[in-house]
Amino acid sequence: QWTYCELIEVVNNVAGHLQALGFGQGSNLAICAANCMETVAITLAAWKIKGLVTFISSRLKPGQSILWCVQFVYMSTYT
């Protein structure tokens, strides 16, 4: 567990890294991860810099395609 101050520190750190990678306002970040504090921190960091976040279930079965999810996110964002 993190304190509120620790969470803010992590969020600011992650936001800086995202911006260094070119992520910014209007950018879309797809997250495929288990529910955990790191997922919360990444989400808050993306929102802090006005980015969008799309969650992809980490419980996709082998017959389900992550590619379909990525295409859906792309189409909903850029069309």
Side-chain angles (χ1 to χ4, degrees), residues 8-58:
I8 295 303
E9 183 178 330
V10 170
V11 167
N12 289 335
N13 189 13
V14 172
H17 286 291
L18 287 173
Q19 287 178 313
L21 292 170
F23 185 88
Q25 184 173 352
S27 296
N28 198 337
L29 178 66
I31 298 176
C32 181
N35 294 334
C36 61
M37 289 299 296
E38 289 79 8
T39 302
V40 172
I42 293 169
T43 302
L44 292 173
W47 289 345
K48 179 181 177 91
I49 52 181
K50 299 181 178 19
L52 307 170
V53 178
T54 302
F55 297 97
I56 300 172
S57 175
S58 60

